[in-house]
């Protein structure tokens, strides 16, 4: 499949998914949804891919839904936005959360609406200093979607989550880092190299174990301590059977660099 | 130990594991597979060693319904003569505990097979459904009757009438499933449980299974009567003596099935 709204490159265990509608601040239209879904399917199925790096071309990361892609003329039929979430955004967010490989998001500029929440659904978010996170939904009468109402309070607490969601203010990357909304804020010119370096690193790491870490973290939000301890027991049992665990311990004992295979 | 085509049957001490082995057709329950499951359970039981059995479909799918090619050949008269209900009865008649270890889809006949088990352990990726309604038919191997007893009227009706599936968590909170585990560990957990069960007195296991089944079959008064009779009968067993002695002497009991 040739893509027109994204770039998708696989190389050395790393998949790069770059949103590529720079003249529209990489906002989502139907085609982009389709292409992102196709790329995600490949990332999920291809065992040789061990890390996913999501970024955006141009001056912004992603402005969320392309509003011009939806007809809201007074005489138009009332749209079913729930359907759009069910079919498009929700599978993407579930896909990122359940993908048992690390997902890095490099936020180069504005990340607004669903664009912000797609970024925040990723495992590690690195943002350029000039990037902004905006929960713009409230400005047009909508509710934060793409997992925002779940992710935000967990990342920054209820007070800041509600402040962001009700006011729709721009949160700078620096502020986002201080609040724990993202992993790291870096100088604009360092964003690409920092993200690239981290992605390359993760693509050589024990992928099976990393995937189980994601599984555990995801489950923790619904679990009691007891349930989580049981889950850790089960996941550690699985991790302990992996080739990479043997390799990791072996390399440590022999004082050499491990060569992980991701299984 | 088996020359089965659709299943693999494996006896590990007192625990029998039956693997459904037609992943290419998502373990569709064709006649032969049902016959082999019944056969494997009976053979193991007759062999005298087995104390608990497990049915496992693999890591991706338990069993996705009946074999539609096979079913589409049958008209009403053909259905009347279909040997399948006989196989289902033989599976249900296995006198010892039966565990279904379910990963992925358990649909139609697959869901019904899981419900034939006394205990259902599910991987978190499990999905249960009775989608027969989508084909203009209804569940034909107990789906409407057992499901309603397992999950209650509203959820059972929703599943049977809409064909919608439920996930492992929902199935667990509704009572269809007793435990949800990581999909990679479903069989392991089932085996662990099976070995725990297999260490008990087989006499007591058989009576307990029957008594539990009475709860579905009979009115409360006759169910209670059955329970009491079985309880009294077991008082005459050597295993009961051994069980109580071992408890008092703080050691593990060794049950002999006598």
């Amino acid at each position: 499949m040739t893509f027109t709204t994204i770039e998708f490159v696989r190389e050395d265990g790393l998949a790069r998914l770059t949103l590529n509608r720079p003249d529209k601040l990489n906002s989502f239209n139907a085609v982009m949804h389709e292409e992102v879904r196709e790329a995600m399917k490949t990332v999920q199925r291809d065992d040789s891919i061990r890390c996913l790096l999501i970024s955006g071309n141009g001056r912004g990361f992603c402005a969320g839904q392309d509003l011009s892609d939806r007809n809201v003329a007074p005489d138009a039929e009332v749209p079913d936005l729930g359907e759009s979430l069910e079919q498009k955004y929700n599978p993407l967010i579930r896909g990122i959360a359940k993908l048992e490989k690390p997902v890095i998001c490099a936020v180069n500029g504005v990340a607004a609406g669903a664009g912000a929440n797609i970024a925040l659904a990723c495992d590690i978010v690195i943002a350029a200093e000039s990037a902004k996170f905006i929960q713009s939904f409230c400005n047009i009468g909508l509710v934060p979607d793409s997992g925002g109402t779940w992710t935000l309070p967990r990342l920054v607490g209820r007070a800041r989550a509600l402040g962001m969601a009700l006011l729709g203010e721009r949160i700078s990357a620096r502020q986002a880092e201080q609040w724990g909304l993202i992993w790291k804020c870096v100088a604009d010119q360092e964003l690409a190299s920092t993200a690239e370096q981290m992605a390359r690193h993760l693509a050589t790491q024990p992928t099976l174990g990393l995937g189980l870490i994601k599984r555990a973290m995801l489950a923790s939000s619904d679990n009691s301590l007891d349930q989580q301890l049981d889950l850790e027991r089960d996941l550690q049992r699985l991790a302990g059977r992996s080739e990479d665990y043997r390799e990791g311990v072996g390399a440590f004992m022999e004082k050499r660099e491990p060569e992980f295979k991701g299984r | 130990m088996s020359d089965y085509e659709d299943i693999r049957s494996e006896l590990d001490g007192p625990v029998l594991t039956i693997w459904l082995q037609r992943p290419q057709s998502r373990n569709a329950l064709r006649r032969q597979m049902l016959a082999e499951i019944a056969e494997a359970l009976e053979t193991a039981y007759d062999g005298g060693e087995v104390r608990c059995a497990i049915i496992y479909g693999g890591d991706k799918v338990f069993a996705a319904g009946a074999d539609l090619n096979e079913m589409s050949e049958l008209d009403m008269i053909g259905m009347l003569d279909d040997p399948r209900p006989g196989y289902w009865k033989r599976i249900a008649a296995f006198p010892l505990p039966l565990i279904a270890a379910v990963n992925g889809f358990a649909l139609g006949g697959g869901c019904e097979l899981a419900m034939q088990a006394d205990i259902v352990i599910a991987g978190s990726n499990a999905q249960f459904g009775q989608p027969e309604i989508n084909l203009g038919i209804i569940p034909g191997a107990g789906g409407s009757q057992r499901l309603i007893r397992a999950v209650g009227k509203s959820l059972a009706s929703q599943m049977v009438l809409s064909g919608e599936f439920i996930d492992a968590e929902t199935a667990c909170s509704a009572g269809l499933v007793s435990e949800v585990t990581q999909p990679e560990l479903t069989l392991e957990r089932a085996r662990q449980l099976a070995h725990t069960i297999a260490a008990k007195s087989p006499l007591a296991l058989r009576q307990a299974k029957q008594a539990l089944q009475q709860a579905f079959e009979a009115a409360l008064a006759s169910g209670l009567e059955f329970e009491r009779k079985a309880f009294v009968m077991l008082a005459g067993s050597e295993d009961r003596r051994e069980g109580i002695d071992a408890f008092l002497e703080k050691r593990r009991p060794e049950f002999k099935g006598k």
Side-chain angles (χ1 to χ4, degrees), chain A residues 212 215 231 234-235 237-238 241, chain B residues 124 181-185 188 192:
Chain A
L212 296 178
R215 213 195 282 187
L231 178 65
D234 289 347
L235 297 182
R237 189 168 274 156
L238 294 174
R241 292 172 188 165
Chain B
S124 53
T181 181
Q182 301 302 307
E184 298 92 332
L185 294 171
E188 213 168 304
Q192 194 184 28

Side-chain angles (χ1 to χ4, degrees), chain A:
Chain A
M1 182 166 180
T2 19
F3 296 120
T4 57
T5 64
I6 65 170
E7 291 167 3
F8 183 63
V9 185
R10 283 176 277 176
E11 182 197 352
D12 299 335
L14 175 61
R16 296 183 188 78
L17 195 172
T18 310
L19 305 178
N20 191 27
R21 295 181 76 216
D23 51 329
K24 301 278 183 190
L25 280 175
N26 297 324
S27 59
F28 273 84
N29 60 10
V31 180
M32 187 143 116
H33 272 297
E34 188 53 45
E35 294 184 355
V36 169
R37 182 166 61 182
E38 196 61 36
M40 284 298 294
K41 213 190 287 177
T42 306
V43 174
Q44 196 189 355
R45 287 181 184 170
D46 184 345
D47 287 339
S48 73
I49 297 176
R50 291 165 61 188
C51 179
L52 171 64
L53 171 59
I54 301 179
S55 60
N57 276 341
R59 59 197 174 89
F61 170 68
C62 175
Q65 173 67 32
D66 184 344
L67 295 178
S68 66
D69 210 41
R70 285 174 175 166
N71 183 2
V72 286
D75 55 342
E77 215 178 306
V78 177
D80 183 356
L81 298 189
E83 192 60 19
S84 153
L85 294 185
E86 179 74 16
Q87 301 296 333
K88 293 169 176 161
Y89 290 96
N90 290 358
L92 173 59
I93 300 301
R94 288 195 179 101
I96 294 171
K98 292 190 175 160
L99 184 71
E100 299 217 332
K101 314 174 183 192
V103 183
I104 299 175
C105 186
V107 180
N108 52 308
V110 89
N117 292 336
I118 289 167
L120 297 177
C122 297
D123 304 321
I124 298 183
V125 185
I126 307 174
E129 209 159 15
S130 62
K132 303 266 185 289
F133 294 87
I134 313 167
Q135 295 294 322
S136 44
F137 303 92
C138 58
N139 299 327
I140 51 170
L142 294 182
V143 178
D145 59 26
S146 302
T149 59
W150 188 86
T151 316
L152 289 173
R154 280 168 173 77
L155 289 173
V156 296
R158 183 170 173 271
R160 284 166 175 161
L162 274 171
M164 287 178 73
L166 294 174
L167 298 171
E169 285 177 10
R170 302 159 156 248
I171 306 300
S172 71
R174 197 53 76 194
Q175 183 79 89
E177 185 194 61
Q178 278 164 10
W179 282 0
L181 188 66
I182 62 170
W183 170 246
K184 205 178 242 183
C185 165
V186 297
D188 287 6
Q189 65 277 15
E190 284 167 23
L191 176 70
S193 61
T194 310
E196 180 74 19
Q197 202 179 356
M198 185 184 290
R200 281 178 183 279
H201 164 73
L202 283 170
T204 64
Q205 292 304 295
T207 315
L208 187 147
L210 302 185
L212 296 178
I213 292 175
K214 284 187 68 171
R215 213 195 282 187
M217 293 285 187
L218 183 62
S220 74
S221 44
D222 301 330
N223 278 352
S224 65
L225 174 63
D226 274 331
Q227 290 170 316
Q228 197 66 13
L229 288 172
D230 286 350
L231 178 65
E232 287 177 5
R233 171 202 63 206
D234 289 347
L235 297 182
Q236 202 71 301
R237 189 168 274 156
L238 294 174
R241 292 172 188 165
S242 67
E243 280 180 36
D244 283 347
Y245 169 62
R246 298 181 77 98
E247 168 62 12
V249 175
F252 178 80
M253 303 302 275
E254 294 159 23
K255 298 185 174 153
R256 60 174 173 80
E257 282 296 306
E259 267 187 49
F260 295 118
K261 302 232 166 66
R263 53 179 188 255

Side-chain angles (χ1 to χ4, degrees), chain B:
Chain B
M1 64 175 272
S2 60
D3 11 295
Y4 297 117
E5 195 179 319
D6 287 6
I7 66 167
R8 186 152 62 87
S9 117
E10 191 181 286
L11 194 60
D12 170 24
V15 173
L16 175 76
T17 305
I18 295 174
W19 305 63
L20 310 182
Q21 296 261 274
R22 295 180 73 216
Q24 69 283 5
S25 43
R26 305 206 298 175
N27 290 332
L29 292 163
R30 62 173 177 176
R31 258 178 241 122
Q32 180 170 347
M33 185 181 267
L34 282 175
E36 289 184 3
I37 295 170
E39 178 78 27
L41 289 170
E42 285 164 359
T43 307
Y45 185 73
D46 292 345
E49 280 168 55
V50 73
R51 297 279 183 270
C52 185
I54 297 168
I55 299 180
Y56 179 60
D59 55 358
K60 299 244 162 50
V61 61
F62 180 69
D67 189 319
L68 289 180
N69 296 324
E70 207 173 69
M71 199 153 73
S72 68
E73 292 164 9
L74 297 179
D75 58 6
M76 198 175 87
I77 306 297
M79 280 290 181
L80 271 175
D81 292 334
D82 192 13
R84 299 169 61 97
Y87 302 141
W88 284 111
K89 275 190 192 147
R90 285 167 60 197
I91 295 169
F94 182 64
L96 287 163
L98 180 62
I99 300 174
V102 178
N103 279 334
F105 290 125
L107 305 179
C111 188
E112 290 167 314
L113 180 62
M115 289 190 291
Q116 291 263 10
D118 301 294
I119 300 170
V120 183
I121 302 292
S124 53
N125 64 350
Q127 300 228 53
F128 297 85
Q130 298 287 165
E132 288 87 347
I133 201 81
N134 298 333
L135 307 174
I137 54 175
I138 67 168
S144 65
Q145 303 303 300
R146 287 201 175 89
L147 190 61
I148 208 162
R149 286 165 167 81
V151 304
K153 177 181 169 236
S154 186
L155 184 55
S157 303
Q158 185 176 332
M159 290 170 70
V160 172
L161 299 176
S162 74
E164 283 180 7
F165 306 161
I166 57 172
D167 64 16
E169 284 303 333
T170 308
C172 192
S173 55
L176 179 60
V177 162
S178 56
E179 206 175 298
V180 179
T181 181
Q182 301 302 307
E184 298 92 332
L185 294 171
T186 310
L187 179 59
E188 213 168 304
R189 174 63 185 132
R191 285 184 156 161
Q192 194 184 28
L193 190 62
H195 279 282
T196 302
I197 291 171
K200 316 300 178 197
S201 162
L203 293 178
L205 288 176
R206 279 205 298 267
Q207 293 304 316
K209 172 161 175 164
Q210 271 189 46
L212 288 162
Q213 282 177 334
Q214 289 299 309
F216 289 144
E217 305 287 346
L220 181 61
S222 50
L224 288 172
E225 202 173 315
F226 181 92
E227 183 190 79
R228 190 64 203 172
K229 276 186 181 158
F231 183 80
V232 170
M233 196 178 75
L234 288 169
S237 74
E238 286 177 29
D239 280 354
R240 171 184 180 260
R241 189 71 265 155
E242 166 64 8
I244 293 174
D245 286 352
F247 181 80
L248 294 174
E249 292 162 21
K250 296 179 179 168
R251 60 176 173 80
R252 272 174 181 270
E254 271 189 40
F255 295 117
K256 298 205 168 64
K258 290 180 181 164

